[in-house]
Amino acid sequence: MNGLHYVGSESGRRYEIEQSRWIGDGGELLDLCEFAKPLNREALTDRPKTMWRYQEVLPPLNAGPVSLGEGLTPLVPVSIDRPRLLAKVDYLMPTLSFKDRGAVMLAAVARALGAERLVADSSGNAGAAIAAYAARAGIRCEIFVPGATSRKKVAQIEAHGARVIIAGTREDAGAAARRAAVDGIFYASHVYNPFFFQGTKTYVFEIWEQLGGRLPDVLVLPVGNGTLVLGVHLGCQELLRFGLVDRIPRIVAVQAEACSPLTQAFQQRWPEAKPVRNLGTRAEGIAIAAPPRHKQILKAVRSMEGQIVAVPDEALEESQRALSQSGLYVEITSAVNYAVLRVHAHLFHESDVVVIPLCGAGLKSA
Ligand SMILES: *Cc1c(COP(=O)(O)O)cnc(C)c1O
């Protein structure tokens, strides 16, 4: 497909991009081959005001027809009195979460492969994003969600004409989607399909451009399945490789304490995470007990000299309220990105320019 192919994450083997291919032989994860070409800032002036302006580093897909104008979200100070603490307002995406960055890629790939049906599993936001872009692409869509998913997210998915199947835990939803992804049905997985990270990497290209060709000192990133962390890692590597930055930010990746397998592995210096039991958190968007890309996430955070930390649920409501009182209304999951500033204050210095992502809109979980 357009000169692209998948690469086995363990074997380095080449796999064709086909409708039924979502995992390698023997169960290895798939990455995408390298294809990005150098980009320069001057060339961006006349480009569309969407994430598609970084065309050199994006896969050569004809995504135009499925695009909803996603990307180039505002970067604004969290409050008037804290000019160095910036919020990237990704809840202003077409489906009100940052997942649109990756979902548009999956819909474009599915369309290029001639898929007529797709399935996906999600705690809610990825499902809503994939349902919207599948509708746009004219592809029938089924989304598997855990029982605890916010009713508003389920309603949003259904509004796009997708069928919602409620399936126990987040892990049950994943297993059910993979059983449903039989021949002829595209598995639009934001976790397994590496095209998704090609979309989420635009998050860091936008910040770089919005800061005048620079990256901040610290990037706070939520981490459940790691789609934003892995996208940011890819993006930072490309910015370095093309000489557009000379250093990358410190990463502070955040989990909810009640479901924090990556925090545990990071702190124990393990190369891989052990599955945990979700003890119950209101941060449903990051409550991933057994993230399939755990090894890659740990490696990526370590290679960026980052940290993975956890915040307790007790800190969430107050953080959500503090953001709201500054005019920024986020869903409760996104409150972790602000809570971490207080709970792990020692990771941040007074002089740091820090960017926190506001990943999902308040109305999704209210
Ligand atoms: C998906 C999501 C996340 C976390 O993304 P992962 O890819 O699971 O790491 C964080 N916040 C919100 C609101 C989300 O929807």
Side-chain angles (χ1 to χ4, degrees), residues 240-303:
L240 270 181
R241 178 157 15 109
F242 298 137
L244 300 172
V245 296
D246 50 21
R247 58 170 186 95
I248 56 179
R250 301 195 320 266
I251 302 294
V252 177
V254 195
Q255 298 216 279
E257 211 167 80
C259 190
S260 51
L262 297 163
T263 311
Q264 181 190 43
F266 185 83
Q267 282 166 5
Q268 304 285 338
R269 298 172 199 274
W270 296 338
E272 39 192 282
K274 282 195 202 137
V276 298
R277 200 164 63 83
N278 178 357
L279 302 175
T281 169
R282 292 188 63 205
E284 61 181 11
I286 51 171
I288 307 296
R293 293 199 185 257
H294 56 117
K295 284 195 252 177
Q296 288 186 340
I297 297 166
L298 289 165
K299 209 169 145 195
V301 172
R302 285 177 177 133
S303 79

Side-chain angles (χ1 to χ4, degrees), residues 274-346:
K274 282 195 202 137
V276 298
R277 200 164 63 83
N278 178 357
L279 302 175
T281 169
R282 292 188 63 205
E284 61 181 11
I286 51 171
I288 307 296
R293 293 199 185 257
H294 56 117
K295 284 195 252 177
Q296 288 186 340
I297 297 166
L298 289 165
K299 209 169 145 195
V301 172
R302 285 177 177 133
S303 79
M304 294 185 282
E305 294 177 40
Q307 303 272 335
I308 308 181
V309 296
V311 298
D313 265 46
E314 293 82 76
L316 299 186
E317 244 169 74
E318 196 191 328
S319 296
Q320 188 189 37
R321 200 174 322 117
L323 288 168
S324 304
Q325 287 175 358
S326 246
L328 299 162
Y329 190 36
V330 299
E331 70 170 285
I332 194 81
T333 300
S334 279
V336 300
N337 305 320
Y338 186 73
V340 70
L341 298 167
R342 234 171 313 169
V343 178
H344 296 279
H346 64 283

